[in-house]
Amino acid sequence: AKTIRPLEEEGHGIAGGRKYIIAGIFFKFALDVFRPKSTKYMYGDDEPNDVGAMKAARNDMIGLLSYYNSGVPGLNYPLMSTIDYRGFRLIALSIIPIKGNQTLKYGSPDGADTLKYQPDVAKRMKQVGKTLNLKGHRVKGHPQKIYGPGDIEAHIGLDGKVYVLDFARVFPPEAPSCLSREVFYNL
C-alpha cells in the first residue's frame, strides 16, 4: 500500500481541506480542518463539519465558473473538476505557474491579515465584480476595495499571465440562523 502525504499547510492554506499533488495534479480533499490559531474547525465549530467542507468545495467550482463566464479578458483560471466518490469530495486542479506570495498581486493568502493590491489586476477584478453584481468592499480595515471575497487570489504567473484562484466565497452567504460557521459554505 502506498501512502500519499498531504502538503504542508504553509503556503497552501487550510481552507479547502487537505491538499496533495499527484501525477502533476493538485488535489483538495474536502474535509474540515482544525484551525490551531482559533481552536475551532474551519466549517464546524468545536467538531468537524465535513458536509460544510464539501459545500465549500462546490462553491469553489460555482465561483470559478462565474468568473470564467464573466468574459473579462486577461484573466486565466486553472482547469478544475469536482470528484465525488463514496461519500467524499475532491477538487482536482491543474497546476498553474505561481509561487505563493511572490506572485500574488491581488487578494489575501491568510484570511485578509495581509492584502495585496496591484492596480492593473484590480481593474480587471473590478470588471468581474461589476459583471457579477459584487459590490467593492474594504476588508479588515485595508484601504483598498476588493471586488469579491477577501481571500480570493490573483497572481501574475511566472509566464506573465494573470491567474485567479480560491473562489469558494465569491458569492455572499445566506444570513445564518444563529452565529455559526455556516457563513463559509451556505449560499
Side-chain angles (χ1 to χ4, degrees):
K2 181 177 180 180
T3 299
I4 300 169
R5 299 200 185 282
L7 299 171
E8 296 295 322
E9 287 175 9
E10 190 171 318
H12 298 286
I14 61 167
R18 293 191 188 101
K19 292 152 182 100
Y20 302 84
I21 295 178
I22 304 163
I25 302 171
F26 183 76
F27 289 94
K28 295 182 192 180
F29 191 23
L31 294 174
D32 202 355
V33 290
F34 188 72
R35 300 175 312 135
K37 289 181 183 177
S38 72
T39 67
K40 303 282 183 191
Y41 283 87
M42 180 72 198
Y43 303 104
D45 202 8
D46 295 324
E47 295 183 16
N49 180 351
D50 293 335
V51 171
M54 287 187 247
K55 287 180 179 181
R58 177 207 59 214
N59 295 346
D60 206 2
M61 177 65 89
I62 291 168
L64 181 141
L65 290 171
S66 298
Y67 266 65
Y68 176 78
N69 288 328
S70 74
V72 173
L75 295 179
N76 299 279
Y77 309 96
L79 293 174
M80 181 182 210
S81 179
T82 304
I83 303 163
D84 290 325
Y85 184 72
R86 294 190 175 197
F88 294 99
R89 177 165 291 159
L90 289 110
I91 295 289
L93 296 139
S94 58
I95 295 178
I96 54 179
I98 61 171
K99 284 212 177 218
N101 287 339
Q102 294 174 27
T103 56
L104 181 63
K105 302 300 177 191
Y106 183 92
S108 177
D110 57 11
D113 288 336
T114 59
L115 189 71
K116 300 281 185 125
Y117 188 90
Q118 186 196 54
D120 291 341
V121 175
K123 183 178 170 184
R124 294 176 190 163
M125 298 297 278
K126 183 177 181 178
Q127 282 181 278
V128 175
K130 289 197 178 284
T131 301
L132 299 178
N133 292 317
L134 298 173
K135 185 176 180 178
H137 60 98
R138 289 182 174 79
V139 180
K140 284 192 176 179
H142 295 285
Q144 301 90 354
K145 281 189 178 180
I146 294 292
Y147 288 81
D151 63 346
I152 199 160
E153 296 183 17
H155 294 254
I156 294 183
L158 301 175
D159 58 359
K161 296 178 181 178
V162 178
Y163 292 94
V164 185
L165 57 140
D166 289 348
F167 303 93
R169 282 166 284 288
V170 164
F171 295 107
E174 69 179 33
S177 54
C178 61
L179 292 176
S180 74
R181 311 273 319 146
E182 291 176 6
V183 297
F184 290 109
Y185 57 85
N186 274 351
L187 295 182

